[in-house]
Amino acid sequence: MALDSTGIDQSHKAHRTRQAGPKKKAKSDKKKKKNISENDRKQNPKAFAFSSSVKAKRLQSRSVEKEQRRLHVPLIDRSYGEPAPFVVVVHGPPQVGKSLLIKSLVKHYTKHNMSEVRGPITIVSGKQRRLQFVECPNDINGMIDAAKFADLALLLIDGSYGFEMETFEFLNILQVHGFPKVMGVLTHLDKFKDAKKLKKTKQRLKHRFWTEIYDGAKLFYLSGLIHGKYAKREIHNLARFISVMKFHPLSWRASHPYILVDRLEDVTPPEQVRMNKKCDRNITLYGYLRGCNMKKGTKVHIAGVGDYSLAGITGLADPCPLPSAAKKKGLRDKEKLFYAPMSGLGDLLYDKDAVYININDHFVQFSNVDDENGVTHKAGKDRDVGEVLVKSLQNTKYSVDEKLEKSFINLFGRKPNMLLEAQNDGKDDHETVEQARKIEPSERDNSGDEIEADESDEESDDGELDGMESSDQDEAIQKDAMIKSKGGVSEEETVDTFEQQSPLKDHLQEHVEYHGGRLRRKALFGKGTDHEDLKDSEEENENSDDGVDNQTPSGSDFSEEDGADNEIDDDMGNISKWKESLMERTVSRQNTNLMQLVYGKATSTPTTTLNEAQDSSDDEESDGDDFFKPKGEGKKNLGEGFDDGNVNAEDCSKFTNLENLKNWKDEELIQSIRDRFVTGDWQKAKSRNKVPGSNSEEEDDDDAVYGDFEDLEAENNRHQTNDIGNGAIQKENDSAAEERRLKKLALRAKFDAQFDGSESPDEEVDKKDRAKFHHGQANESSYFDKLKEEIEIRKQMNISELNDLDEPTRIEIEGFRTGTYLRLEVHDVPFEMVEYFDPCHPILVGGVGLGEENVGYMQARLKRHRWHKKLLKNRDPIIVSIGWRRYQTIPVYATEDQNGRHRMLKYTHEHMHCLATFWGPLAPPNTGVVAVQNVSNNQAAFRITATAVVLEFNHAARIVKKIKMVGYPCKIFKKTALIKDMFTSDLEVARFEGAAVRTVNG
Amino acid sequence: MGKTTYKRLKGSQNLRHRLLLATLSSSPILIEDIRADDTLPGLRQHEVSLLRLFDKVSDDCVVEINETGTKLKYRPGIVMGGRHLVHDCGVSRSIGYFLEPLILLGLFANKPLTIRLKGITNDSNDPLVDTFRSTTLPLLKRFGVPSEGLDLKIESRGSPPHGGGEVVLTIPVVQSLNAVTWTDVGMVKRIRGVTFSTRVSSQFENTMIHAARGIFNRFIPDVHIFTDHKAGTQAGSSPGYGISLVAETNAGCFISADMAIAYAREEETGDIEDEKKELMPPEDVGGQIASILLGEIEQGGVVDSTHQGLLFLLCALCPQDVSKIRSAKLSPYGIEMLRHIRDFLGVKFVIKPDPSTGTVILKCIGCGLKNLNRKVS
């Protein structure tokens, strides 16, 4: 845009004006006009800005208005720490190039080619930012769900065709459920051969797009395909735009936790599935937590499925972590991670108790295993023994047998029955694997055919497959051995060793069959301690088939226990952190005691997330008998005798025991509290109030540097001595206060800097202008700034308070933080969810707030969508989407008359709002509602029938209906008439007693 | 959806907490074994009255009590509030018993609440209505409740056993509360109070004031205790007297203590009224109440022991910000409240003792309760 500066150097060919013809006339006319108007103005328009006061006033008011429109009520952002990846929903009609766009973007960010786009794809896009790409399905349900989790919506529009209904439908849904950022992308522009037409079309579409969103909304042009991909430069530009995008919190989402599921596993016991294919399933869902913190015991709504209480909730290690905060420019290739389990991409899969490493075919080096000896050791009985020996020799330290055998045990630890069967059949181990595959429910039925094919494939070349498998395992073991021998306990590895003791090994098979040629296997590491036991059981296993039955479960139990033990203090699997927290805990033991006293031991000690999850599930499911247990224990702990299990205690808030009243005339006693009065020593009082503040601050410091036990004790001692030395306290307090003040100032400065930096330069110019023009406005803007400042201080306060706590308490208090990768276990979902699971249809899990699981009547202000063809009929079922939910309901429409009464409507108004009262799960007032009549895809017309907003809950909505009744006069007096045949029953008569009557003629 | 799952509880203890929290979190509860082993099993009169009060201010709430009154099923409805409501609290508990849950219900109602409560205004078991005026309402203001429309008017007083008092409570509606950081107790800058007497000589009041001042004079000169002698119809139907004191600190804390003296109810004493129990003389009342207040001040919390439960509950109902408060030694009532908050709202407090002052620092993140009942324009 630097035209002015470059205009001088660049020599363009001078424009030759028309010398003749109609154009010349037109031009000259215009020029004349312009000249006149320019002459009217003063030479220096800036110097004489307003010649007319009216105009000045108008200008002023306009700019004031503009400024005010820019402002939003500042919202507190309660997500501390790393934000979850931003969700970029790519939406558009079919065949517009959605998948290709995602592929191109992924390629741009990670240099990986994706064959197909299924489910959310998480990538690290920058040092501070991760993105999650989701393709929006085209059915209305999918669109509704996608609109609820989108942070940025890329609307793809076929430029050669123009706008399609899907785009507008999606826009409307977005608007109702809180408007996230929207960017338009025009594709198929290479269909235009005529450049002028292309330009015209671009203009037209742009302006249409602007009317729908706002003037100046960004519309991208992707000019065409090069080698079946979008042009690199254009994708680069788009990526730039995405990476600088700022996302503001939306009110519904900021107050509800939600998870976009990027991985789903069926963990139903296979036996149960075998018995009854349609039994209710247990599933685990994985995804980043967004919105707000999620507490244990929160109920969740799975969109399209229903409300469930969580059977378990665990924070997992981030599968796609942000790079470490080292100072460097840009991302290293190694850090350009991406994670897309539903598309079968991403190298590591973390589970609560296992890590799956996914190794690409061409990365596997078959150095020590050839095709002909591609045999697992398990199958060694059938194959050449020599090869096995060679293989075992390659692994130097630990014998492979044990490892592999152990893996076998673990594999089938959870399904002894199946194993037994397999063994009874007298097949070799490999075949049991095969069978496990068959028994495994083919829950991803969309790839069912593939599975078949794969299976046959695998059977044909299973030797090879197994060979690779074993080699990989060997590698893993070797790696482990190395780690062991080194003795250096690097974090990741220890996590692995702890966590891999999985009771749920059946994932292995699933993954293998799911991804066809790709292998996904569990990394197996041995632990020195339980090695012997496992070996023993292994030997028994080999000796007798029955032994397997007895031993395997115990073995797996053992490992499970072990895993649990390891997890107790360490939910994130971080060993060093674990140690620290232990240390801290010993320090703060005295503090937790009080919590234990109040909340009972049972609930305050289980710091492990695993146990906690179980607790919460217990609380919800069997609330009957053990409800009082923790309390009872708490009482025992209390042991002070004021409420020894008296469930019928008198309900009284006053607690004054007159017995131990002190004699306040005693001089000593008077002195003891003299400083509590303004007549006493102010300094002392100040110190009294401030001590805990400085105390916590010091603790804070200790936390920061992870100071050890002695240190803190010394601190405590010092406090005790402080009570004696008055001056010392004072000094310390002053310094503490000073420190705090400085901290606050720094924060403010930081915040201000951030605030200014965030604004684009033209806005800043705007601000300057504003400052110049409107000194009177300073008040308002300062109010705005004050609000912002308050919020920021509130936030910093929260953070500093929360940082004082150790990790388990923190999770207990505030729940799982946003951005955590969570594993949710949900029990008893209908089998259809697993059976008809479609990775292209994203699953949304939303937390249900207080009182939102209840059902009742809601009143909403509803307006028929202007593009919907028909009016809506009273009591005609509609499908509404409110909050996280979608459900069908029967609305009763009404309108408010002049006299405040609600009159029922047969049909909704044509262009006006009316009231709709319907029954359903309650959503808080001010929630947006979008209504559709039919979710089927084969409708050509606009599918959204109405939009609404919830006004209130109403258990007794009074809606009156005007009715006409016909009767015949049987006797007529002067002012009275007797009418007959108007009612048919006494009940009717009773109902209408006292009703106002008006005849047709008035 | 159709089936409601009830939270099962046992015993009659803390019925007010349970009903209140059930209503605020809109979770149905089922209470069993209410005084099942007592000679007089089932719900007491005041508890039934409380249920009626809940039913009155809310819409579509379902209360089911079995024949013996030992089992109670409560499904909360929508708190409507409204004006010109009247409730007779009966004479088995004083109005203070009803006020404590009612003020919170009123905050989260559909419409501002104005209700006239009839019964005993001053009783030794519950905080006096004067204490509510002087201490509880300022406490609410601390959490962002607007002071307009927050009022408690004492129209007439009633002492046990026959009551006859009337108060009018007005409570505004809030959208949500504000989290507080309230650890500074400050220093007591003044002591205020009010004495009352119904159907006894007004000289009683002066005696009480004199006795109390005698103790306070050693500490602070700024002591003003007002008298409120009711006579005629305003005095209710039984004799009684008492005093309510509040110490105000320069950090804005209100620490209260109160005491009311009246003849006991007949069913409580059990024996026939051949010898009426001697009432505590007013001098002793004044001395004791001053001692109690000083005891509360000595404890060093930001509120007195009576208001601990309310303070905790208010903190738990805040938005999802950290509230930090300093309280004195936890009272049994406060502990019960903490447990109930955990059970109903899922909010847990971090409780840290502060050994240097003998107080307790509590921290919590609120449950983020929003007023769902309020109508949007």
Side-chain angles (χ1 to χ4, degrees):
Chain A
M1 294 307 274
L3 271 179
D4 308 291
S5 57
T6 55
I8 309 154
D9 341 48
Q10 275 185 356
S11 58
H12 292 290
K13 194 177 172 189
H15 177 67
R16 291 183 60 199
T17 44
R18 281 259 175 201
Q19 301 301 324
K23 274 241 164 136
K24 185 197 177 223
K25 207 172 161 241
K27 280 265 170 71
S28 62
D29 278 357
K30 212 191 241 170
K31 215 175 188 177
K32 219 179 262 172
K33 229 185 211 169
K34 213 177 176 184
N35 276 339
I36 290 162
S37 64
E38 245 165 31
N39 281 340
D40 278 354
R41 295 231 178 108
K42 294 284 173 351
Q43 283 286 321
N44 185 356
K46 268 195 178 167
F48 311 98
F50 312 110
S51 45
S52 126
S53 67
V54 177
K55 200 173 176 186
K57 202 167 258 177
R58 216 174 275 156
L59 246 162
Q60 194 175 8
S61 67
R62 181 175 175 276
S63 58
V64 167
E65 208 177 291
K66 255 179 87 177
E67 179 201 324
Q68 288 298 315
R69 201 173 290 160
R70 207 173 52 84
L71 301 179
H72 290 276
V73 178
L75 285 173
I76 184 164
D77 179 19
R78 292 201 175 88
S79 54
Y80 316 121
E82 259 176 35
F86 296 114
V87 181
V88 180
V89 166
V90 180
H91 173 267
Q95 291 302 313
V96 80
K98 300 188 288 289
S99 310
L100 185 60
L101 182 70
I102 293 179
K103 281 179 209 165
S104 302
L105 281 169
V106 169
K107 167 93 179 166
H108 169 263
Y109 281 121
T110 65
K111 312 277 183 284
H112 277 271
N113 275 319
M114 297 190 57
S115 52
E116 56 181 339
V117 177
R118 291 203 299 196
I121 298 162
T122 315
I123 57 162
V124 177
S125 72
K127 281 200 295 182
Q128 294 295 324
R129 178 166 288 215
R130 291 172 295 178
L131 297 173
Q132 199 161 29
F133 292 106
V134 188
E135 186 177 332
C136 179
N138 257 316
D139 56 320
I140 201 107
N141 284 336
M143 272 156 56
I144 287 172
D145 287 350
K148 287 172 191 172
F149 58 68
D151 289 315
L152 164 69
L154 291 179
L155 301 179
L156 263 66
I157 299 144
D158 186 341
S160 64
Y161 185 86
F163 283 104
E164 288 173 67
M165 276 306 177
E166 279 89 349
T167 307
F168 288 112
E169 281 167 350
F170 192 61
L171 268 175
N172 273 291
I173 298 170
L174 282 179
Q175 259 156 351
V176 168
H177 292 299
F179 206 24
K181 295 273 177 179
V182 170
M183 217 151 63
V185 179
L186 277 186
T187 59
H188 291 287
L189 292 178
D190 48 351
K191 294 265 175 72
F192 291 97
K193 294 288 174 266
D194 185 5
K196 196 172 176 191
K197 200 176 165 200
L198 173 65
K199 211 174 114 194
K200 278 262 169 70
T201 321
K202 275 183 178 175
Q203 279 292 323
R204 187 168 49 80
L205 291 178
K206 188 170 76 182
H207 282 281
R208 184 67 192 82
F209 191 66
W210 285 3
T211 52
E212 202 60 36
I213 302 174
Y214 60 92
D215 269 0
K218 189 65 201 165
L219 187 62
F220 244 92
Y221 309 111
L222 294 178
S223 56
L225 300 180
I226 297 170
H227 306 307
K229 285 252 156 83
Y230 293 115
K232 245 184 173 176
R233 175 51 47 182
E234 287 168 348
I235 289 296
H236 181 79
N237 288 343
L238 180 60
R240 280 296 284 276
F241 261 89
I242 293 173
S243 63
V244 298
M245 186 79 66
K246 275 174 60 190
F247 303 101
H248 56 268
L250 305 172
S251 64
W252 169 266
R253 289 188 214 170
S255 56
H256 293 80
Y258 66 101
I259 286 168
L260 169 59
V261 174
D262 61 9
R263 183 167 155 224
L264 177 143
E265 306 286 353
D266 183 9
V267 293
T268 328
E271 183 59 18
Q272 214 174 319
V273 179
R274 199 180 60 82
M275 301 286 275
N276 177 13
K277 264 198 92 130
K278 299 190 173 175
C279 67
D280 284 350
R281 303 295 172 86
N282 300 345
I283 55 168
T284 51
L285 303 164
Y286 302 80
Y288 288 98
L289 179 65
R290 297 186 167 85
C292 66
N293 292 347
M294 187 146 161
K295 281 190 178 158
K296 283 159 194 145
T298 320
K299 271 193 148 190
V300 294
H301 178 82
I302 305 176
V305 183
D307 281 11
Y308 291 95
S309 50
L310 293 173
I313 173 169
T314 326
L316 298 181
D318 200 328
C320 195
L322 280 172
S324 56
K327 262 234 180 327
K328 59 179 184 282
K329 212 174 172 188
L331 280 176
R332 301 281 168 278
D333 272 353
K334 235 184 183 175
E335 293 158 352
K336 288 179 179 169
L337 294 169
F338 73 126
Y339 178 72
M342 281 185 188
S343 304
L345 289 172
D347 295 334
L348 284 176
L349 272 187
Y350 291 89
D351 205 335
K352 189 172 68 178
D353 31 31
V355 181
Y356 303 94
I357 299 184
N358 181 28
I359 301 172
N360 238 330
D361 287 358
H362 53 274
F363 289 149
V364 179
Q365 292 188 350
F366 303 100
S367 63
N368 46 6
V369 186
D370 295 326
D371 273 5
E372 58 265 23
N373 71 345
V375 195
T376 56
H377 197 76
K378 290 178 272 176
K381 286 179 250 169
D382 304 357
R383 307 296 176 122
D384 195 336
V385 189
E387 286 163 359
V388 178
L389 278 174
V390 170
K391 240 189 90 204
S392 66
L393 279 174
Q394 285 172 342
N395 296 308
T396 47
K397 199 167 179 185
Y398 282 82
S399 75
V400 195
D401 316 27
E402 292 158 5
K403 300 281 180 182
L404 288 179
E405 296 295 357
K406 181 183 154 245
S407 83
F408 169 65
I409 280 205
N410 274 349
L411 271 173
F412 297 98
R414 268 290 172 88
K415 19 183 181 177
N417 289 336
M418 195 169 67
L419 189 65
L420 186 62
E421 265 175 52
Q423 301 248 341
N424 284 346
D425 286 347
K427 288 174 182 171
D428 63 8
D429 297 337
H430 178 65
E431 269 168 5
T432 61
V433 176
E434 208 60 62
Q435 192 166 36
R437 248 175 231 165
K438 276 168 198 157
I439 291 166
E440 207 72 58
S442 62
E443 70 255 18
R444 275 120 196 181
D445 62 333
N446 64 330
S447 61
D449 294 0
E450 273 176 53
I451 291 165
E452 294 299 320
D454 286 349
E455 227 157 350
S456 62
D457 272 357
E458 277 167 347
E459 264 165 304
S460 67
D461 58 10
D462 51 354
E464 193 182 326
L465 210 79
D466 285 337
M468 297 190 299
E469 202 170 326
S470 67
S471 75
D472 287 346
Q473 277 173 342
D474 289 351
E475 276 177 10
I477 291 156
Q478 275 174 338
K479 200 166 137 207
D480 181 41
M482 270 166 56
I483 292 156
K484 284 265 148 111
S485 61
K486 262 195 284 178
V489 200
S490 75
E491 285 177 12
E492 277 300 317
E493 261 74 28
T494 43
V495 174
D496 291 347
T497 43
F498 289 150
E499 290 192 340
Q500 49 83 29
Q501 321 263 350
S502 167
L504 309 167
K505 296 297 150 62
D506 44 357
H507 296 307
L508 176 60
Q509 277 79 27
E510 284 173 26
H511 290 302
V512 170
E513 69 190 19
Y514 183 35
H515 301 305
R518 175 177 302 276
L519 280 180
R520 169 160 304 152
R521 294 172 309 89
K522 222 177 86 57
L524 285 164
F525 302 92
K527 263 192 80 184
T529 49
D530 51 328
H531 200 77
E532 293 304 313
D533 302 73
L534 286 160
K535 189 179 160 194
D536 289 347
S537 70
E538 212 42 58
E539 280 162 8
E540 276 179 39
N541 183 10
E542 275 175 30
N543 291 339
S544 65
D545 287 346
D546 295 347
V548 177
D549 223 50
N550 302 331
Q551 285 294 326
T552 40
S554 68
S556 71
D557 276 357
F558 182 78
S559 62
E560 200 178 354
E561 267 173 24
D562 217 39
D565 281 350
N566 288 330
E567 263 193 310
I568 279 176
D569 297 304
D570 171 22
D571 55 319
M572 302 309 279
N574 190 331
I575 187 87
S576 55
K577 236 184 200 170
W578 166 59
K579 276 181 182 162
E580 280 156 15
S581 76
L582 220 159
M583 218 176 282
E584 279 172 36
R585 194 109 53 75
T586 46
V587 172
S588 62
R589 178 141 296 162
Q590 296 140 315
N591 302 343
T592 48
N593 272 347
L594 206 52
M595 269 181 90
Q596 277 179 20
L597 281 175
V598 172
Y599 291 124
K601 206 165 182 109
T603 47
S604 69
T605 38
T607 42
T608 154
T609 49
L610 184 75
N611 289 358
E612 199 93 80
Q614 280 164 356
D615 272 2
S616 68
S617 70
D618 281 352
D619 270 359
E620 268 147 48
E621 279 166 12
S622 59
D623 44 355
D625 301 327
D626 52 348
F627 185 78
F628 264 77
K629 251 182 206 159
K631 247 189 223 174
E633 275 167 46
K635 273 166 199 156
K636 264 176 237 154
N637 284 343
L638 275 173
E640 284 173 23
F642 48 76
D643 54 351
D644 20 27
N646 185 6
V647 290
N648 287 327
E650 190 67 19
D651 185 4
C652 179
S653 64
K654 248 169 116 171
F655 176 64
T656 41
N657 35 3
L658 296 170
E659 283 75 50
N660 44 15
L661 274 181
K662 293 169 185 167
N663 176 22
W664 288 101
K665 282 176 181 148
D666 184 13
E667 194 57 40
E668 266 178 46
L669 271 174
I670 289 173
Q671 280 314 315
S672 72
I673 65 161
R674 163 135 308 281
D675 297 332
R676 307 238 174 209
F677 293 84
V678 279
T679 46
D681 185 354
W682 281 62
Q683 291 303 340
K684 245 184 201 169
K686 205 184 270 173
S687 76
R688 190 184 69 241
N689 289 326
K690 288 299 189 298
V691 162
S694 65
N695 201 353
S696 71
E697 206 131 4
E698 275 155 14
E699 273 169 32
D700 203 348
D701 289 350
D702 281 337
D703 284 358
V705 297
Y706 296 112
D708 44 1
F709 189 83
E710 288 82 33
D711 234 24
L712 203 81
E713 197 158 56
E715 210 85 65
N716 282 344
N717 285 341
R718 200 170 54 180
H719 275 302
Q720 277 151 15
T721 53
N722 276 350
D723 290 338
I724 308 159
N726 204 358
I729 305 177
Q730 226 174 290
K731 212 164 135 194
E732 198 174 280
N733 285 330
D734 283 356
S735 69
E738 180 67 19
E739 204 178 16
R740 211 173 308 136
R741 199 178 61 81
L742 281 176
K743 206 162 114 192
K744 211 163 252 178
L745 276 178
L747 278 174
R748 188 175 301 175
K750 192 184 110 198
F751 168 65
D752 283 344
Q754 207 178 346
F755 179 64
D756 283 339
S758 67
E759 273 180 344
S760 57
D762 54 337
E763 268 176 328
E764 256 172 76
V765 171
D766 208 39
K767 243 169 96 184
K768 268 180 215 158
D769 283 354
R770 204 172 65 210
K772 230 185 278 173
F773 279 119
H774 321 290
H775 288 289
Q777 292 304 309
N779 225 353
E780 255 97 331
S781 68
S782 73
Y783 173 68
F784 183 71
D785 290 344
K786 212 177 79 193
L787 272 183
K788 275 200 147 177
E789 199 175 285
E790 265 170 25
I791 280 175
E792 184 62 20
I793 286 172
R794 178 81 252 171
K795 188 177 168 181
Q796 296 302 336
M797 222 146 67
N798 287 349
I799 290 172
S800 67
E801 290 294 342
L802 287 171
N803 282 341
D804 284 355
L805 308 172
D806 54 342
E807 199 57 37
T809 341
R810 190 163 171 181
I811 285 179
E812 224 170 274
I813 297 295
E814 67 161 351
F816 287 97
R817 253 164 292 165
T818 51
T820 327
Y821 194 72
L822 281 187
R823 172 192 193 268
L824 309 178
E825 191 163 351
V826 184
H827 286 172
D828 296 333
V829 297
F831 80 100
E832 285 92 342
M833 183 175 177
V834 177
E835 194 81 25
Y836 301 112
F837 170 69
D838 173 12
C840 298
H841 197 294
I843 299 173
L844 169 67
V845 178
V848 176
L850 271 180
E852 282 169 25
E853 70 256 64
N854 295 17
V855 287
Y857 283 98
M858 271 174 288
Q859 204 165 49
R861 193 194 300 126
L862 177 134
K863 192 182 180 195
R864 180 191 72 104
H865 199 278
R866 63 190 192 282
W867 292 349
H868 186 67
K869 289 271 161 33
K870 285 184 245 166
L871 294 179
L872 300 180
K873 193 171 185 291
N874 196 27
R875 303 184 66 78
D876 210 14
I878 52 169
I879 296 160
V880 292
S881 153
I882 304 183
W884 303 126
R885 303 170 199 275
R886 302 177 251 128
Y887 54 85
Q888 191 170 39
T889 186
I890 298 178
V892 173
Y893 301 116
T895 188
E896 191 168 348
D897 280 343
Q898 289 280 312
N899 51 9
R901 120 193 114 183
H902 292 169
R903 177 165 52 84
M904 196 178 86
L905 291 174
K906 257 186 181 167
Y907 291 92
T908 57
H909 294 303
E910 190 120 22
H911 302 296
M912 278 192 331
H913 288 286
C914 66
L915 294 170
T917 308
F918 54 88
W919 191 85
L922 298 173
N926 256 336
T927 314
V929 182
V930 62
V932 292
Q933 216 148 32
N934 198 343
V935 290
S936 69
N937 269 342
N938 50 17
Q939 275 180 305
F942 198 68
R943 283 180 284 188
I944 290 162
T945 55
T947 54
V949 63
V950 177
L951 292 182
E952 63 172 333
F953 307 156
N954 225 334
H955 280 284
R958 198 180 162 83
I959 298 174
V960 295
K961 186 178 175 183
K962 198 158 72 179
I963 54 168
K964 245 180 218 175
M965 306 202 87
V966 181
Y968 304 96
C970 67
K971 218 166 217 178
I972 298 172
F973 305 108
K974 228 174 195 170
K975 286 191 170 171
T976 314
L978 297 179
I979 314 290
K980 67 175 180 184
D981 292 346
M982 209 156 174
F983 302 106
T984 49
S985 67
D986 285 350
L987 202 71
E988 261 185 71
V989 176
R991 180 69 192 79
F992 283 96
E993 232 167 331
V997 181
R998 208 167 58 160
T999 61
V1000 177
N1001 296 330
Chain B
M1 277 282 127
K3 227 179 111 207
T4 45
T5 47
Y6 289 88
K7 199 181 195 82
R8 283 163 173 273
L9 301 164
K10 252 187 199 159
S12 71
Q13 59 160 354
N14 304 105
L15 186 76
R16 287 187 297 173
H17 290 172
R18 289 169 171 180
L19 291 179
L20 175 61
L21 283 163
T23 314
L24 290 177
S25 66
S26 55
S27 51
I29 52 170
L30 178 70
I31 303 178
E32 286 167 320
D33 293 344
I34 301 172
R35 298 194 186 91
D37 302 331
D38 266 25
T39 41
L40 291 165
L43 291 167
R44 292 273 179 274
Q45 229 165 23
H46 54 269
E47 288 163 344
V48 174
S49 178
L50 183 72
L51 283 167
R52 283 191 202 288
L53 177 63
F54 270 71
D55 188 44
K56 198 164 277 172
V57 295
S58 60
D59 204 353
D60 192 42
C61 92
V62 179
V63 179
E64 276 177 49
I65 306 170
N66 73 348
E67 279 173 31
T68 51
T70 51
K71 199 170 160 185
L72 164 71
K73 227 186 219 181
Y74 175 71
R75 189 159 62 78
I78 291 168
V79 185
M80 292 305 283
R83 294 194 296 177
H84 308 304
L85 297 175
V86 181
H87 182 72
D88 190 358
C89 298
V91 291
S92 59
R93 283 300 278 271
S94 80
I95 288 173
Y97 175 85
F98 299 89
L99 279 177
E100 283 180 6
L102 193 59
I103 44 175
L104 276 167
L105 273 192
L107 290 179
F108 292 96
N110 185 323
K111 288 185 284 254
L113 176 75
T114 306
I115 189 166
R116 179 181 293 270
L117 299 166
K118 292 178 182 169
I120 297 166
T121 53
N122 309 294
D123 192 2
S124 48
N125 283 341
D126 294 299
L128 305 186
V129 284
D130 306 278
T131 314
F132 265 92
R133 268 170 68 107
S134 64
T135 314
T136 315
L137 300 186
L139 176 64
L140 290 180
K141 279 176 202 163
R142 189 111 197 174
F143 284 85
V145 177
S147 51
E148 307 96 67
L150 185 66
D151 189 26
L152 181 70
K153 208 156 92 190
I154 302 166
E155 306 234 309
S156 64
R157 290 185 183 273
S159 297
H162 297 302
E166 259 185 45
V167 296
V168 177
L169 176 73
T170 335
I171 294 175
V173 171
V174 294
Q175 178 66 34
S176 63
L177 302 170
N178 293 340
V180 293
T181 304
W182 195 9
T183 54
D184 188 9
V185 182
M187 304 163 89
V188 176
K189 63 176 177 186
R190 63 170 81 110
I191 291 176
R192 293 286 175 271
V194 66
T195 61
F196 72 91
S197 55
T198 57
R199 296 185 173 270
V200 290
S201 158
S202 64
Q203 202 50 48
F204 276 47
E205 299 186 36
N206 294 333
T207 321
M208 282 190 285
I209 292 168
H210 186 76
R213 284 196 74 118
I215 291 178
F216 287 136
N217 274 344
R218 307 287 301 270
F219 296 96
I220 194 162
D222 191 1
V223 180
H224 280 283
I225 303 173
F226 304 95
T227 60
D228 182 19
H229 177 68
K230 296 281 187 192
T233 51
Q234 284 197 313
S237 36
S238 318
Y241 53 91
I243 182 166
S244 159
L245 293 177
V246 55
E248 201 182 328
T249 69
N250 56 6
C253 303
F254 293 85
I255 292 158
S256 72
D258 54 20
M259 205 174 213
I261 304 297
Y263 291 106
R265 296 178 191 85
E266 276 150 34
E267 73 264 34
E268 271 180 21
T269 50
D271 43 31
I272 321 123
E273 46 168 304
D274 48 5
E275 33 98 34
K276 260 194 179 161
K277 249 190 189 169
E278 199 70 13
L279 292 181
M280 194 191 281
E283 303 89 66
D284 291 6
V285 173
Q288 272 197 7
I289 195 67
S291 306
I292 292 172
L293 184 67
L294 289 173
E296 293 281 3
I297 291 168
E298 187 199 15
Q299 297 255 313
V302 290
V303 293
D304 50 73
S305 58
T306 312
H307 288 90
Q308 265 183 22
L310 182 68
L311 178 69
F312 298 154
L313 183 55
L314 285 168
C315 284
L317 293 176
C318 280
Q320 279 139 343
D321 290 323
V322 177
S323 292
K324 188 173 173 185
I325 46 172
R326 179 204 296 270
S327 113
K329 215 175 91 188
L330 295 176
S331 68
Y333 182 80
I335 291 172
E336 281 302 315
M337 185 56 115
L338 286 176
R339 290 179 189 155
H340 277 105
I341 286 171
R342 193 257 326 261
D343 292 341
F344 280 92
L345 301 173
V347 172
K348 258 182 150 180
F349 284 73
V350 177
I351 308 162
K352 268 189 190 169
D354 178 12
S356 60
T357 53
T359 54
V360 182
I361 302 274
L362 291 107
K363 273 194 269 187
C364 80
I365 292 186
C367 72
L369 184 78
K370 289 224 177 83
N371 190 351
L372 300 179
N373 304 321
R374 207 176 72 146
K375 190 181 177 179
V376 294
S377 56

